Amino acid sequence: MDTNKLEIKNLCKSFDGSEVLSHISFQIASGEFIAVMGPSGCGKSTLLYCASGMDRPTSGEIFFEGMEMSELSNREMEKLRLEHMGFIFQRANFLKSLSIADNIVFPAFQLGKQSRGEIRKTGEEMMERLGIAHVGDHDIRQVSGGQLQRAAICRAMINRPDILFGDEPTGALNSSATREVLDIMTSINRAGATILLVTHDAKAASRADRVIYLEDGQIKDILSLGKYIEGKQPVREQKMKEWLDIKVL
């Protein structure tokens, strides 16, 4: 059985004749936490969108659990994302007409693999675990940014995805909320979920097993940090700082 959750081979992506990603290749093992860093415009988000099938590469191959995603139709790709992938963005993009709880369970209703009662129970359990059960019936404009991002994590995990994609999920949060969200993502990773995180924040990236640095659409360097260990965060952050200062910037 293939131990790689995601494999990217020679990925290139162009927009209007301008190359944004150039010959990107790397693998993500099952249960691994990968962060992608780099300056604005280097192609971080484009890489995430291609890796998750939200955008099609210009050339190259992307394999999810050994399956070449370019061979899938748009409908098949949508089903794959709904069933096997979860997404957390900088902005939660919730439906304003639904409560927090209804937004969270909406993807599970779309997938249709559980009864309404089972879905509701799962949503309630997740909100309880992430400390937002008391705001489940609130409008999305009635909660804090940290609570909204916790709800976004619940929504991303409601279908128990194999891989979680994050695009600057802490970018709009204060330091306290950022730490809370990172603690949750670390816990999710320890429970077995694979994570690909795009971030500009070195503290966020230091939670990852490996950090990929992009520049001008190419991989410039990769830093291996190993699994996150409680109490070792200052050491990891210092290693990140030295790497960014000396090797990259």
Side-chain angles (χ1 to χ4, degrees):
M1 184 176 179
D2 196 337
T3 58
N4 289 321
K5 186 61 64 177
L6 198 68
E7 185 172 4
I8 296 173
K9 293 184 176 181
N10 208 31
L11 171 65
C12 297
K13 179 65 180 180
S14 298
F15 293 103
D16 298 325
S18 178
E19 193 170 54
V20 178
L21 295 174
S22 179
H23 304 288
I24 301 288
S25 296
F26 66 94
Q27 300 173 348
I28 303 178
S30 182
E32 194 173 15
F33 188 159
I34 299 291
V36 180
M37 296 190 74
S40 296
C42 70
K44 299 188 298 295
S45 292
T46 301
L47 174 58
L48 182 143
Y49 296 148
C50 287
S52 62
M54 288 192 290
D55 199 0
R56 301 279 186 174
T58 303
S59 62
E61 299 172 305
I62 302 172
F63 295 88
F64 176 77
E65 296 186 341
M67 176 175 53
E68 221 287 82
M69 294 200 300
S70 69
E71 297 177 354
L72 301 178
S73 67
N74 288 340
R75 175 167 290 199
E76 289 171 332
M77 191 65 243
E78 288 173 5
K79 186 176 185 298
L80 178 69
R81 284 198 299 270
L82 186 62
E83 189 167 0
H84 296 284
M85 302 176 179
F87 299 87
I88 313 171
F89 301 100
Q90 182 172 345
R91 302 292 179 185
N93 295 322
F94 281 159
L95 295 172
K96 294 180 180 179
S97 60
L98 300 180
S99 67
I100 293 292
D102 287 342
N103 268 289
I104 287 170
V105 299
F106 185 68
F109 284 126
Q110 286 182 299
L111 185 60
K113 285 197 168 184
Q114 294 177 294
S115 69
R116 295 180 67 87
E118 289 172 328
I119 291 171
R120 288 291 182 189
K121 183 180 179 182
T122 299
E124 289 168 3
E125 290 173 348
M126 295 187 72
M127 287 189 291
E128 185 69 38
R129 194 155 57 240
L130 269 67
I132 57 169
H134 62 292
V135 298
D137 61 348
H138 284 37
D139 185 277
I140 64 171
R141 290 157 292 196
Q142 296 176 309
V143 298
S144 68
Q147 289 171 327
L148 201 60
Q149 206 60 310
R150 289 186 186 201
I153 293 173
C154 288
R155 180 181 61 180
M157 299 301 295
I158 192 69
N159 288 334
R160 298 182 176 88
D162 299 303
I163 184 167
L164 184 65
F165 294 93
D167 190 4
E168 302 281 10
T170 62
L173 303 179
N174 61 33
S175 58
S176 176
T178 292
R179 186 168 55 253
E180 291 174 358
V181 168
L182 291 174
D183 286 345
I184 293 167
M185 293 186 71
T186 300
S187 176
I188 289 170
N189 177 243
R190 284 176 176 165
T194 306
I195 298 178
L196 177 60
L197 171 69
V198 165
T199 183
H200 68 280
D201 185 353
K203 288 187 177 181
S206 66
R207 295 293 186 106
D209 304 336
R210 288 187 292 150
V211 185
I212 296 173
Y213 194 89
L214 289 187
E215 191 171 281
D216 298 326
Q218 296 181 310
I219 295 178
K220 187 174 182 181
D221 205 354
I222 299 177
L223 173 67
S224 295
L225 291 169
K227 282 295 179 186
Y228 176 80
I229 301 174
E230 294 289 349
K232 298 293 184 181
Q233 185 63 7
V235 176
R236 295 169 74 92
E237 289 178 11
Q238 181 61 31
K239 191 172 182 180
M240 279 285 305
K241 183 179 184 303
E242 293 173 355
W243 179 67
L244 290 171
D245 286 347
I246 297 171
K247 292 187 176 182
V248 179
L249 297 181

